[in-house]
Amino acid sequence: MKKGILVLGLLMVTLSCSEYQKLLKNEETAPKYTAAEQLYNEGKEEDSNKKLRKALKLLEQIEPEYRGKPQGERIVFILADTYYQLGDYFNAPFQFDRFLQLYPKSQKAEEAGYKSASSYFYRSPKYNLDQTDTHKAIEELQVYLNTYPEGEFNEEANKMATELLVKLEKKDYEIAKQYHHTEYYKAAIASFNNFIADHPGSPFREAAYFYRFDSAYRLAINSFEVLMEERLNEAREFYKSYKKYYPEGEYTPQLEDALSEIDKSLQNF
């Protein structure tokens, strides 16, 4: 009985594939449009890449035939959205942008704008890689938010933009921190100064204040005597800056220990 069910299932799949192949070769566009719409809807509902890929082939075949016709708007949109649902975030924004150029007043224009922008978000790489797509995503998400200030997807777009900004901040922070860890203390101080100036609301801000101080402290205690006093005083100023903004900060114990050493060293001058 199980073998019979299995054979029947395989037969149905074979017939289904056979019918689909015939449909691809069929010169009539109407049945292809109907099948593509059904496969697209089922693929989205069932999260089935197989059905979405089948829909995509049909849509790519019939899209040129429906240009200028009433169905053209729907076909161009679901073609773009099929790329998006398949996770093809390189073709999706191109197709959504084409849809917006062809149908700027469409009821689907806002969704197309959001999905085009969010495609760049999904293309954004890890913080330690080139961030060209991250900058592009922030730019496109801001365009969406400016165009639709009360838009349906505003909450998601704002979350995405914030996440991307934090990623850029992390990249800058890690570069400065790498200078510190490799004992390029002058470069570290300069980088942390820039980071603090450029990212006033960053979650890495407290750590940046601490590592700027620590870089200055280590630079001072390893300096020639002629340079040491000035550098110790600079480190002391960085200590004050940290305490001003983070009086009970997480790095306070390390700062207090280092400050004691600074004060002892300054007594020699």
Side-chain angles (χ1 to χ4, degrees), residues 171-196 208 211-220 231 234 238:
K171 184 179 181 69
D172 290 346
Y173 168 74
E174 291 294 342
I175 289 171
K177 195 173 175 182
Q178 185 67 21
Y179 284 131
H180 171 274
H181 288 349
T182 52
E183 300 183 3
Y184 288 99
Y185 295 126
K186 285 185 179 180
I189 293 167
S191 294
F192 283 123
N193 279 334
N194 291 334
F195 179 87
I196 290 166
Y211 282 111
R212 181 179 68 169
F213 162 80
D214 197 56
S215 296
Y217 165 67
R218 293 176 186 276
L219 177 64
R231 290 177 174 176
E234 182 181 41
F238 289 152

Side-chain angles (χ1 to χ4, degrees), residues 14-184:
T14 303
L15 288 171
S16 175
C17 291
S18 175
E19 289 172 3
Y20 177 73
Q21 292 302 321
K22 287 179 181 178
L23 192 60
L24 286 174
K25 296 174 183 177
N26 193 337
E27 294 185 1
E28 294 184 33
T29 55
K32 290 183 179 182
Y33 173 64
T34 301
E37 180 87 44
Q38 181 180 345
L39 286 165
Y40 164 75
N41 289 328
E42 290 177 357
K44 279 184 67 177
E45 184 178 341
E46 300 169 13
D47 195 21
S48 169
N49 283 355
K50 184 177 180 181
K51 289 187 176 182
L52 288 168
R53 282 192 291 269
K54 284 185 174 182
L56 185 62
K57 284 186 179 180
L58 293 170
L59 290 165
E60 288 175 333
Q61 279 190 356
I62 65 174
E63 188 272 327
E65 303 297 325
Y66 280 95
R67 289 175 188 168
K69 296 180 181 179
Q71 302 96 323
E73 179 180 336
R74 174 66 178 165
I75 290 172
V76 175
F77 178 82
I78 65 173
L79 174 61
D81 198 45
T82 302
Y83 279 117
Y84 185 82
Q85 299 297 331
L86 284 168
D88 185 345
Y89 300 120
F90 288 87
N91 280 309
F94 169 79
Q95 295 293 343
F96 280 122
D97 290 346
R98 190 167 72 91
F99 172 80
L100 290 169
Q101 290 173 0
L102 292 170
Y103 308 101
K105 296 183 180 179
S106 170
Q107 292 183 347
K108 289 287 190 178
E110 182 189 344
E111 184 177 350
Y114 165 72
K115 287 184 173 178
S116 176
S118 63
S119 294
Y120 290 100
F121 169 83
Y122 294 118
R123 281 166 53 172
S124 175
K126 293 180 179 180
Y127 77 89
N128 57 333
L129 300 176
D130 179 75
Q131 295 300 306
T132 300
D133 281 331
T134 303
H135 287 286
K136 178 67 173 175
I138 292 170
E139 179 185 328
E140 293 296 320
L141 287 165
Q142 193 59 56
V143 168
Y144 167 78
L145 291 166
N146 291 343
T147 307
Y148 303 98
E150 304 295 330
E152 177 184 355
F153 306 99
N154 274 24
E155 184 177 351
E156 295 92 330
N158 274 308
K159 285 181 180 177
M160 287 179 176
T162 299
E163 184 176 330
L164 294 172
L165 287 169
V166 170
K167 183 184 290 187
L168 293 178
E169 291 170 3
K170 184 174 177 64
K171 184 179 181 69
D172 290 346
Y173 168 74
E174 291 294 342
I175 289 171
K177 195 173 175 182
Q178 185 67 21
Y179 284 131
H180 171 274
H181 288 349
T182 52
E183 300 183 3
Y184 288 99

